[in-house]
Amino acid sequence: IHVPTWVAMPYQHAAPQAHPQLNPLLNAELGHQPPIFFDLSLYTFEPRRVSSSNSSGVPLRGDELSQTATYPGVTRMVITCDEIPGWEAKLEPYRERPSNSGYLSVPTDNSPAVNAPITVNDVLHAIHRSLQRQITHSDWVKLSNDKATAVARAYTRRCRTFPSTQAFEESQGVKKVDYLENKYVFKGLARHRGEQGFEHLRMIVSRK
């Protein structure tokens, strides 16, 4: 198996064997925190790499986004979030990609790129697109009064961040991201307790 440059190798005198791991740009396991700032409430896709010397960050480069999301790589992934019961971002191979598909560049076996693994870009885009979808009327009526009030407050806050009237008009309506209330900053992914693989992951979020 090809070992990406970002994979942490154990210190051994014998031939080292890398253990399965998440890309550092996504990893929230065992106390890790990805070195990125990604505001999920923004209608634009703007993940940024941050550092101790640059807290505002710089946009992730193409070579960073194109890195595999996991080692070993996977071609199917479902991401959930404790803050939004029932929500998931799903990445899986597709044969014909409809224009409104939320599934990203994970090709099928009969695609030119056979079994290409899911990338950092795939993961972040899938999360962002899924959370930026408007909720339905049936979604709204299922909310308790307290939750509906909190979601409406989050929607109002988000509307105030739009840079222009056009952006506001294009992004009207309560969206899934508003269910996060004030925890709309991506803090990485982690495996569910007891799981060894990367096909089911939890998204960690926090306040800004």
Side-chain angles (χ1 to χ4, degrees), residues 39 41-43 132 134 151-175 177-178 181 184:
D39 185 339
S41 71
L42 294 180
Y43 79 104
Q132 288 292 321
Q134 286 192 11
V151 169
R153 188 180 299 120
Y155 169 64
T156 300
R157 180 206 61 78
R158 184 168 56 81
C159 287
R160 290 175 179 153
T161 67
F162 294 131
S164 66
T165 302
Q166 180 182 354
F168 171 74
E169 290 174 349
E170 291 174 353
S171 303
Q172 278 190 330
V174 173
K175 298 183 176 181
V177 71
D178 296 319
E181 300 177 33
Y184 51 85

Side-chain angles (χ1 to χ4, degrees), residues 73-78 90-93 106 116 118 198-200:
V74 296
T75 57
R76 285 179 171 81
M77 185 182 292
V78 176
K90 183 183 294 185
L91 295 94
E92 62 184 7
V106 185
I118 292 170
F198 297 106
E199 293 200 350
H200 299 93

